[in-house]
Amino acid sequence: YNEYKSYLSMDAETIIQKKNEVLSELHKDIFLTPKGMMKLVQVVIVVCAFALTTSASGTTKLVLSSANSNLAFDVTASIHTKYAFGSYDFTVIYPTEAKLNDNNATGISFRDGYVSESQFYVFVGVISFVYVLLVIICYGWFNKIAKHSQFFSENFTKVDFVATVLLTLLWFLATTLWSSGFSALRAHMNAPNELVTLISKVATNQKIPEDKLCPKPSYDCIQNDTWSKLFGSVIFGYLTIILFVANCWYCFKDTEWHAEPEKLGGILRIRTDNDPTSRATGGGGAAVGGGAGGVTGGTATLEDVNLESGGGSGGGDLGNI
């Protein structure tokens, strides 16, 4: 607490110096590995998935023109809905003398609402975005955080793997539900009952056959929305599933549950006598990098070994882990 409190009293030069120190400790190489790159891509894909959903809307229009039929007047109507797709607005425009008795209405609920599907999809997207951002920070400053927390150092890779698996399952469930909900929503909006009923009223009012006024079942007079944003949100959802599934494997390889744990961005934990199955051996003392500071048997501590240093003079290679 005192360390963070002292930041408040720093001058501009000290703040810049501290910023440079923090950036110098950033471990960039992790983001050149498949796992690190996947996390960066996940941020973009996840944001696109839930942002397209929350910003989407759909409108279905009905246009009955007197120029193309025997109508004595023009009739236009529309059904409009937006996230979270639980209700819609009905708007109709026609001359007073038509006496169709159809009025504008807002907030009309769908018979089968799509709120739960859309909101669950967005919820999974938001928590995934927050989690991936936190993990990216942990990846970048793994060494610094590990020095201050032994629990983090020993359990981060396992927590990352378990959380990634859970998010993968949530994405599969959310995307499947939202894909089904979107299909039902689009089918409902293709020829809404309100517009079909209005066509029937106009035909009766003007004594014109319905098929001549607006042929069935194509309903050429009804203009459907392209729903491009919602199509995009579903596609990004399935892309996210693929990314998270692939990421599960790379996260698993970093845990001690894997037969030969991978290094986390160049940092490999070396266990000695406390874990006989993962000792560092080699020539009486394994030397890593430039020969100085070998890791020898007989100790009962955990040491972080930087695997990125170049080969120099000194004996031995990194032994079996």
Side-chain angles (χ1 to χ4, degrees), residues 84 113-121 177:
Y114 312 100
V115 176
S116 58
E117 292 94 332
S118 61
Q119 289 186 340
F120 180 61
Y121 185 79
L177 290 174

Side-chain angles (χ1 to χ4, degrees), residues 20-286:
N20 292 335
E21 290 178 2
V22 171
L23 292 178
S24 66
E25 294 173 339
L26 174 62
H27 187 53
K28 303 183 185 70
D29 290 346
I30 180 62
F31 301 113
L32 300 178
T33 64
K35 186 169 97 167
M37 286 189 289
M38 281 184 183
K39 292 297 184 187
L40 296 178
V41 175
Q42 280 175 358
V43 171
V44 178
I45 299 298
V46 165
V47 169
C48 290
F50 73 77
L52 286 174
T53 306
T54 56
S55 63
S57 62
T59 302
T60 301
K61 295 180 180 180
L62 168 66
V63 178
L64 298 176
S65 175
S66 58
N68 300 324
S69 62
N70 295 324
L71 284 176
F73 49 83
D74 294 337
V75 177
T76 59
S78 65
I79 299 289
H80 177 77
T81 185
K82 60 182 180 180
Y83 177 81
F85 309 107
S87 61
Y88 60 92
D89 301 331
F90 175 57
T91 304
V92 58
I93 301 174
Y94 57 86
T96 305
E97 61 269 17
K99 299 180 180 180
L100 297 175
N101 298 323
D102 278 281
N103 299 317
N104 298 341
T106 59
I108 305 173
S109 298
F110 285 112
R111 181 187 303 174
D112 300 316
Y114 312 100
V115 176
S116 58
E117 292 94 332
S118 61
Q119 289 186 340
F120 180 61
Y121 185 79
V122 171
F123 168 75
V124 173
V126 171
I127 63 173
S128 298
F129 172 71
V130 173
Y131 173 75
V132 173
L133 278 185
L134 291 175
V135 169
I136 287 175
I137 294 173
C138 292
Y139 281 5
W141 284 274
F142 180 83
N143 292 342
K144 182 176 178 62
I145 302 174
K147 290 177 182 177
H148 293 83
S149 173
Q150 184 178 357
F151 177 83
F152 173 86
S153 176
E154 295 177 352
N155 297 284
F156 171 71
T157 55
K158 290 181 285 188
V159 171
D160 186 26
F161 169 66
V162 172
T164 303
V165 171
L166 290 176
L167 286 175
T168 302
L169 296 176
L170 285 176
W171 269 109
F172 178 79
L173 179 61
T175 303
T176 303
L177 290 174
W178 175 227
S179 177
S180 175
F182 169 52
S183 297
L185 171 65
R186 192 162 60 95
H188 182 98
M189 291 289 288
N190 275 349
N193 291 332
E194 289 82 359
L195 299 187
V196 174
T197 301
L198 181 60
I199 293 172
S200 179
K201 286 184 177 182
V202 173
T204 302
N205 180 277
Q206 295 293 299
K207 298 180 180 180
I208 300 174
E210 287 188 37
D211 287 342
K212 186 176 181 181
L213 183 64
C214 189
K216 298 178 182 179
S218 60
Y219 289 108
D220 296 334
C221 59
I222 295 179
Q223 303 171 3
N224 297 314
D225 203 303
T226 59
W227 299 97
S228 56
K229 284 189 175 182
L230 292 187
F231 272 116
S233 73
V234 173
I235 292 172
F236 279 119
Y238 284 112
L239 287 177
T240 304
I241 294 174
I242 296 172
L243 277 175
F244 271 85
V245 168
N247 202 203
C248 285
W249 168 243
Y250 289 102
C251 289
F252 175 68
K253 290 175 69 176
D254 271 342
T255 67
E256 61 187 29
W257 300 325
H258 190 259
E260 297 179 358
E262 295 284 332
K263 60 182 181 179
L264 179 61
I267 301 301
L268 183 63
R269 299 202 54 77
I270 304 299
R271 294 183 181 270
T272 55
D273 287 349
N274 286 342
D275 187 357
T277 64
S278 57
R279 291 182 181 174
T281 62

